[in-house]
Amino acid sequence: MSLRRKPESRRRPGESRGEIGLDRFIEYDYNSHINKEVNPIIKIAAVSKLKAYLSDYLNQVKAGTEVLITDRGKPVARLVPISRTKAAGESLARMEKQGLIKLGSGKLPKNFWAMPRPEDPQGLVLKALLEEREEGK
């Protein structure tokens, strides 16, 4: 069986490999299946293997590795890391719109640490903190 690159002219509009955009790293056989030995740049995982080892693959993605997910040798999805700063910023903006939080200016007043603390005669703050520590949050 000889392996060859799938020519651009034979790809149909909307074919999943074009949407994934990894053709320059992938070599296909005559059935359009991926030749896994030729692809050292990204990880390739079948759906069944991904289901069995999802936490391992997620740890690799967190570390910056891309994972190409295949179904019977054909690419169907790509698992890529997201930028933490972008995701955190979007998440905070969404929570502010919902009225859950109020974003600060990022600067504390000069006398912030000298300011008197609010009263908590029943010790509710301490109780909540201790409960969180027990739950392992």
Side-chain angles (χ1 to χ4, degrees), residues 19-115:
E19 293 170 8
I20 293 174
L22 297 171
D23 275 342
R24 65 181 181 268
F25 303 127
I26 299 173
E27 195 168 302
Y28 302 93
D29 65 8
Y30 67 96
N31 287 326
S32 297
H33 293 116
I34 296 172
N35 179 13
K36 295 175 183 164
E37 288 81 28
V38 178
N39 191 345
I41 297 174
I42 60 172
K43 298 267 185 184
I44 299 173
V47 173
S48 58
K49 191 171 183 179
L50 183 71
K51 285 171 58 177
Y53 298 100
L54 181 60
S55 60
D56 294 338
Y57 282 106
L58 288 177
N59 287 334
Q60 291 177 16
V61 170
K62 287 179 188 177
T65 304
E66 290 188 16
V67 178
L68 181 65
I69 303 165
T70 63
D71 186 19
R72 297 183 180 101
K74 294 187 179 186
V76 293
R78 184 174 56 160
L79 200 57
V80 295
I82 57 173
S83 169
R84 287 184 181 256
T85 55
K86 182 179 178 184
E90 290 173 359
S91 178
L92 289 173
R94 187 177 61 249
M95 287 190 289
E96 185 179 33
K97 285 181 183 177
Q98 293 173 348
L100 299 174
I101 62 171
K102 182 175 191 251
L103 293 176
S105 64
K107 295 183 179 182
L108 296 174
K110 289 185 179 185
N111 65 344
F112 177 78
W113 297 110
M115 295 172 78

